Amino acid sequence: MIGSWHGLVIDCKEPLKLANFYKELLSFMIVQNEADWVVIGDAPDRPGIAFQHIDDFVSPTWPEAGVPTQMHIDIKVDSLEAASKVVLAQGATLESKTSDIFWVFKDPEGHPFCLVKL
């Protein structure tokens, strides 16, 4: 092993706003909050998700070509229907109900993510 996973960094326009969106989705806490950099996680000393401000950020255009997705988060849920209502109320948009197992959404800044029922 070379090292251990420390975190995932997501480019965005509004780090605090997007961090709060995922914080609520994952029941995480904010572990670092600076003007251009916000980190969420389940504990300050564990891997987290960071959101960094990019002045000229362009949202992914997936599924259309143009600006690739580059990453997406899969979130395991008990009920696609119940979780869908929550994420839509928090500013997500539904892209597709791809299957009985996962639905694809976009977060408030256009990054795709999936709700997955396993």
Side-chain angles (χ1 to χ4, degrees):
M1 177 174 83
I2 295 171
S4 60
W5 182 58
H6 177 70
L8 170 70
V9 179
I10 299 175
D11 294 347
C12 60
K13 291 179 188 175
E14 298 182 60
L16 184 57
K17 182 178 178 182
L18 199 56
N20 278 319
F21 174 81
Y22 282 101
K23 175 180 77 88
E24 294 302 316
L25 232 57
L26 300 167
S27 294
F28 278 7
M29 65 180 82
I30 292 178
V31 297
Q32 186 178 355
N33 187 356
E34 299 173 20
D36 292 341
W37 180 266
V38 180
V39 181
I40 62 171
D42 63 356
D45 60 341
R46 293 179 32 89
I49 304 171
F51 302 87
Q52 75 177 350
H53 172 79
I54 301 295
D55 285 330
D56 56 352
F57 172 75
V58 177
S59 299
T61 55
W62 177 91
E64 292 81 34
V67 180
T69 299
Q70 299 177 3
M71 70 90 206
H72 77 269
I73 297 174
D74 288 344
I75 300 168
K76 184 176 159 188
V77 298
D78 293 328
S79 165
L80 290 170
E81 293 81 8
S84 176
K85 289 178 185 175
V86 173
V87 300
L88 292 171
Q90 292 179 346
T93 55
L94 177 64
E95 277 297 306
S96 66
K97 294 181 178 181
T98 306
S99 73
D100 296 348
I101 300 171
F102 67 93
W103 293 355
V104 181
F105 295 81
K106 285 190 177 177
D107 69 25
E109 291 207 15
H111 301 98
F113 70 94
C114 295
L115 296 181
V116 182
K117 183 179 180 199
L118 300 174

